[in-house]
Amino acid sequence: MNILVTGGAGYIGSHTCVALLEAGHTVIVADNLCNSKAETIDKIKQITNKEVTFYKIDVTDEVALEVVFATHKIDGVIHFAGLKAVGESVENPLEYYYNNLVSTMVLSKLCKKYNVNKFVFSSSATVYGDNKVPFVETMNLLPTTNPYGETKAMSERILTDIAKVNPDFSVALLRYFNPVGAHESGVIGEAPNGIPNNLMPYITKVAKGELDKLRIFGNDYLTVDGTGVRDYIHVVDLAEGHVAALDKLTAGVHIYNLGTGEGTSVLQLVKAFEEANNIEVPYEIVERRTGDIASCYADVRKARNEIGWTAKRGIVEMCRDAWRFEKNHK
Ligand code: NAD
Ligand code: UDP
């Protein structure tokens, strides 16, 4: 299939481009590079030895995006393009609502116009809010604590309503848990701008000596050791989940959790990283971070049963691959 990947130069998008190309699909990337670099497209080509068509455009720009639809016979879209920094979304809600919602609407509009009926959307476990773990796809969604999370819940609703009145439209809403790690080549990975917000990229910067110590946000949660528990998933497993969802997509809306089903605490992840890479990660315990929940992990049965996908890579591989990329990355 010819797949349009919005946000394909980004962290999850680039790994998914590799997985799509390796599965024999053709990839067209639309990315405005607001949080990524054009050289990532070359790295995707380098890893796969395949061609990638790249458009440096903003997905909220309907005129620019229509050129892509008019030029290529697109069979499906995967919509990664979006802003994702939770704290920034609280500071600048309009930018987040505009970018994340308008991009979804413009893309849906062009899908309808050009009869593109396969739509895979990057959602997030954040839509579950503080539900009881493990999170199951059938749960009622609870309010999230920030505009970023709201854009994910709203985009899910927009796509669901569109599918209701378009019987041919097939939508996969993929709720990611915590993607970490990097491609095993060490060529592509997660390279956030500035000081990382997320745990794994923070750990790798501390290990590298670029940050002096990790600050662990709270050790008084009701969890195995008091620190927050998350379901970390290797980004390559996540990428493969997109290929599986796309291949098996049928008409209607299908929601899948993409996680491992395993919860890991902050302290457990730090220890696993230290052991996997034989390197020390100094840390201190500080106050809880506003908006954080104690535990978040997936019920993964639906993706396994319906699209035949399960995560294969464990915490040790996640830690090794994250560190390999960080060491290679300037
Ligand atoms: P990322 O920032 O690395 O990638 C997003 C890409 O989209 C970037 O290359 C950016 O330049 C591009 N982009 C943003 N707005 C755009 C626009 N208007 N037009 C064109 N390109 C635009 O982020 P990621 O971690 O790869 O996340 C991909 C998607 O998955 C996002 O929608 C994110 O919200 C979602 N998600 C990420 C996580 C996570 O922890 N990384 C978890 C759940 C969901
Ligand atoms: N965390 C931490 N220090 C950091 C970053 C994160 O202790 O510098 C904790 C955070 O409180 C949470 C877990 O690590 O329990 C995962 O946080 P991340 O921001 O990576 O993901 P999210 O909170 O979005 O699930």
Side-chain angles (χ1 to χ4, degrees):
M1 290 190 278
N2 287 328
I3 307 300
L4 171 60
V5 183
T6 76
Y11 173 45
I12 307 170
S14 57
H15 290 82
T16 303
C17 287
V18 169
L20 287 166
L21 291 163
E22 283 174 347
H25 299 294
T26 301
V27 167
I28 300 133
V29 170
D31 197 306
N32 65 2
L33 304 180
C34 70
N35 197 34
S36 52
K37 296 199 172 70
E39 65 191 42
T40 302
I41 303 294
D42 297 324
K43 291 177 176 172
I44 297 168
K45 294 182 194 170
Q46 179 194 327
I47 292 169
T48 59
N49 209 12
K50 302 242 168 87
E51 269 317 302
V52 174
T53 307
F54 175 53
Y55 289 85
K56 183 180 176 303
I57 54 170
D58 195 306
V59 181
T60 62
D61 179 345
E62 187 176 338
V63 175
L65 192 61
E66 181 153 9
V67 173
V68 181
F69 279 81
T71 308
H72 304 270
K73 164 81 193 77
I74 293 170
D75 299 301
V77 304
I78 308 184
H79 182 31
F80 292 105
L83 302 174
K84 63 164 185 178
V86 170
E88 200 178 76
S89 80
V90 176
E91 300 297 316
N92 200 346
L94 181 57
E95 191 189 357
Y96 271 68
Y97 284 115
Y98 188 87
N99 193 69
N100 291 5
L101 297 180
V102 174
S103 62
T104 301
M105 290 188 278
V106 165
L107 199 53
S108 308
K109 196 172 161 191
L110 291 170
C111 281
K112 185 153 186 261
K113 184 165 175 186
Y114 286 84
N115 204 23
V116 177
N117 283 320
K118 290 180 195 294
F119 196 116
V120 177
F121 177 65
S122 293
S123 190
S124 164
T126 192
V127 299
Y128 289 109
D130 203 359
N131 260 296
K132 190 172 174 299
V133 282
F135 297 159
V136 190
E137 289 89 342
T138 48
M139 278 175 164
N140 286 330
L141 302 187
L142 296 180
T144 64
T145 51
N146 58 79
Y148 165 72
E150 292 306 302
T151 68
K152 292 297 173 192
M154 287 180 193
S155 288
E156 286 199 2
R157 281 208 294 281
I158 292 168
L159 291 166
T160 303
D161 287 342
I162 295 172
K164 270 188 203 149
V165 292
N166 292 289
D168 295 331
F169 200 44
S170 318
V171 182
L173 304 175
L174 304 182
R175 293 180 179 159
Y176 312 156
F177 282 70
N178 289 56
V180 295
H183 191 265
E184 61 170 9
S185 62
V187 171
I188 54 172
E190 186 171 18
N193 293 328
I195 296 177
N197 294 307
N198 295 111
L199 180 58
M200 184 66 99
Y202 205 105
I203 289 176
T204 59
K205 293 268 180 248
V206 172
K208 210 175 180 183
E210 288 181 14
L211 294 168
D212 64 341
K213 60 185 153 190
L214 171 68
R215 294 180 316 136
I216 297 184
F217 300 136
N219 66 348
D220 55 354
Y221 287 106
L222 279 178
T223 60
V224 58
D225 55 24
T227 64
V229 164
R230 296 291 182 272
D231 184 341
Y232 297 96
I233 172 169
H234 196 295
V235 67
V236 175
D237 277 323
L238 188 65
E240 288 169 4
H242 290 74
V243 180
L246 197 61
D247 285 347
K248 294 277 163 56
L249 200 54
T250 54
V253 178
H254 307 276
I255 305 174
Y256 298 111
N257 286 341
L258 297 184
T260 63
E262 301 281 332
T264 303
S265 76
V266 179
L267 282 172
Q268 285 170 337
L269 189 70
V270 170
K271 192 157 185 288
F273 187 92
E274 290 183 327
E275 282 175 10
N277 297 312
N278 199 21
I279 193 160
E280 215 185 317
V281 179
Y283 66 82
E284 64 175 334
I285 308 287
V286 299
E287 287 298 291
R288 289 182 179 194
R289 183 171 66 179
T290 314
D292 272 359
I293 58 174
S295 295
C296 169
Y297 53 89
D299 182 312
V300 293
R301 288 171 296 176
K302 192 172 176 216
R304 183 180 62 216
N305 295 339
E306 293 190 9
I307 58 173
W309 171 88
T310 45
K312 297 197 281 280
R313 296 160 179 87
I315 288 285
V316 172
E317 260 169 299
M318 299 181 209
C319 292
R320 273 193 201 143
D321 292 344
W323 181 229
R324 185 185 300 113
F325 174 73
E326 184 65 43
K327 279 187 297 182
N328 287 349
H329 183 75
K330 303 260 177 342

